Amino acid sequence: MTDFEATRRFFHLPKGMIYLDGNSLGPLPKSVPARLEAMARDEWGEMLITGWNRAGWMAMPRRVGDRVGRLIGAPDGSVVLGDTLTIKVYQALASALEMRPERRVILSDSGNFPSDLYMADGLVKSLDRGLELKIVAPKEVADHIDETVACLMLTEVDYRTGRRHDMPALTTKAHKMGALAIWDLAHSAGAFPVDVLGGGADFAVGCTYKYLNSGPGGPAFIYVAPGITEDVRPALSGWLGHEAPFAFDLDYRAGAGIDRMRVGTPAMLQMAALDAALDVWDNVDMDDLRARSIELIDLFIAEVEARCPAVTLASPRDGTKRGSQVGFRHPEGYAVMQALIARGVIGDFRAPDIMRFGVTPLYISEAEILGAVGHLEEILNTNEWDTPVFRTRAAVT
């Protein structure tokens, strides 16, 4: 059994704060500052450029990629780290479209993260070959998978409501119709057990600064199914994706396997932070994590509905059909959330009216859940949220 008291001790959690926003930015693992200091002092400081060989920097995107891969059901050698999630979405989508040149439709849904849709729209316009980005309601995705679809591009867990798609079922239908499947795991990796290999995903991408706690701007990852890796031509043909980067050949030749999905020089300090942060998973059973997540969110829902009638549930009630977050609607959700934050209960807001709470069992217990509900109840009962300060929108919501 996973010891969640032990995993809680792994993180720095500010005194008096109830942190329910790990689905947006994970807290600082206590081991990370020392790891960063040692890397800066002993590797960057003493080794300088020789650190690429002596300290193993060049191999880190693959080595740490394998560590992430174990959390998403990917075999070793099929995940690589680097760049941002938006870049990885572009890579996966461009490659998938090239593998289905006779088809024109990219199928996505209105619950997808907008940045993914922006990237797809931009790529459609850049390629200028009659492609169409087709966006349907989440529950209608399966009905629109047909022989015109080149690729399915979905985020497994809706960033606002936590609603979860059935990856294996939708991927199976996509394959039956001859399409490829791209999955964004930004709100999945580290939130519950994921099996990209068993689920048949052709490509999967994700960030690491949410449930994997790599820190703001942490590196993204990309997975390519082993059976198609050698067929993938990287649209972003960066020098580190070259077969021989230091041959400085003027002609691009894609590297072997997942290395071809590398682009530019990785951010090594962020990579080191992620490497240290991943240590907590060595002692976590993903099934235990999932069971505890559902238990805590079910408690949250029951308490809020019993004590806060002014809000309505925006997330699936069935725990198996959501990620590790829950949303509640309120017409003044932004101001209510600011009042909560002022009390030290940290969640966030997603337009138009959703207060979003991430529940991460690695460091959240029943006490935090009950404490957060108590604060929410008081704020709503007293209209504490109804002030100009709490209504004023900040740059980040």
Side-chain angles (χ1 to χ4, degrees), residues 2-324:
T2 301
D3 183 350
F4 290 113
E5 286 296 325
T7 61
R8 181 184 176 89
R9 293 192 293 272
F10 186 83
F11 296 94
H12 170 77
L13 298 165
K15 186 176 181 180
M17 180 183 288
I18 299 175
Y19 192 68
L20 299 174
D21 211 12
N23 55 311
S24 201
L25 176 67
L28 174 70
K30 293 177 180 177
S31 59
V32 165
R35 175 66 181 275
L36 292 176
E37 181 183 4
M39 185 174 189
R41 181 190 61 238
D42 302 331
E43 296 180 17
W44 180 15
E46 296 299 321
M47 298 180 191
L48 290 170
I49 201 167
T50 68
W52 289 103
N53 292 320
R54 293 170 61 194
W57 296 347
M58 188 59 76
M60 277 187 76
R62 276 281 299 273
R63 179 179 66 78
V64 184
D66 285 343
R67 298 189 75 186
V68 172
R70 290 169 202 139
L71 300 177
I72 62 170
D76 285 355
S78 62
V79 176
V80 72
L81 284 154
D83 316 300
T84 67
L85 176 52
T86 302
I87 294 297
K88 294 308 177 196
V89 169
Y90 183 98
Q91 284 186 283
L93 182 57
S95 295
L97 290 172
E98 190 168 303
M99 294 170 71
R100 294 292 184 271
E102 74 286 359
R103 298 191 177 202
R104 296 290 179 264
V105 176
I106 303 164
L107 180 61
S108 191
D109 76 341
S110 56
N112 205 347
F113 191 62
S115 184
D116 293 17
L117 300 178
Y118 302 159
M119 184 57 64
D121 182 63
L123 183 57
V124 165
K125 291 173 180 174
S126 294
L127 292 176
D128 192 24
R129 59 177 179 87
L131 293 168
E132 174 193 356
L133 172 60
K134 185 176 184 179
I135 301 173
V136 302
K139 64 182 180 181
E140 297 174 0
V141 169
D143 295 335
H144 288 268
I145 301 174
D146 58 27
E147 293 87 349
T148 69
V149 174
C151 58
L152 183 66
M153 185 189 74
L154 297 171
T155 297
E156 186 181 16
V157 173
D158 188 305
Y159 73 103
R160 292 167 301 185
T161 67
R163 174 201 43 77
R164 182 182 179 186
H165 275 305
D166 187 336
M167 181 197 295
L170 291 174
T171 301
T172 296
K173 183 163 187 183
H175 288 171
K176 183 177 179 180
M177 294 295 173
L180 295 167
I182 302 167
W183 288 94
D184 184 334
L185 305 179
H187 291 276
S188 306
F192 51 78
V194 179
D195 184 5
V196 291
L197 187 65
D202 298 294
F203 299 88
V205 297
C207 54
T208 62
Y209 50 79
K210 301 181 189 296
Y211 295 98
L212 301 184
N213 312 296
S214 66
F221 65 83
I222 186 167
Y223 160 83
V224 180
I228 65 170
T229 309
E230 299 303 327
D231 299 323
V232 170
R233 188 192 71 82
L236 295 174
S237 304
W239 77 299
L240 286 186
H242 193 281
E243 180 182 71
F246 286 89
F248 298 110
D249 193 331
L250 297 184
D251 296 320
Y252 182 83
R253 301 187 309 277
I258 196 64
D259 277 340
R260 66 184 53 203
M261 304 309 280
R262 295 178 68 166
V263 183
T265 306
M268 296 312 304
L269 290 171
Q270 289 280 188
M271 200 82 67
L274 173 60
D275 197 23
L278 290 172
D279 288 347
V280 71
W281 298 101
D282 293 342
N283 299 304
V284 174
D285 181 281
M286 295 302 290
D287 290 330
D288 291 346
L289 181 84
R290 182 58 166 159
R292 185 60 171 156
S293 168
I294 291 174
E295 180 182 1
L296 289 173
I297 295 179
D298 284 349
L299 174 65
F300 199 180
I301 292 171
E303 290 291 320
V304 168
E305 291 188 329
R307 298 161 61 180
C308 307
V311 304
T312 57
L313 182 65
S315 301
R317 192 172 299 279
D318 181 350
T320 65
K321 299 193 184 311
R322 63 174 182 252
S324 198

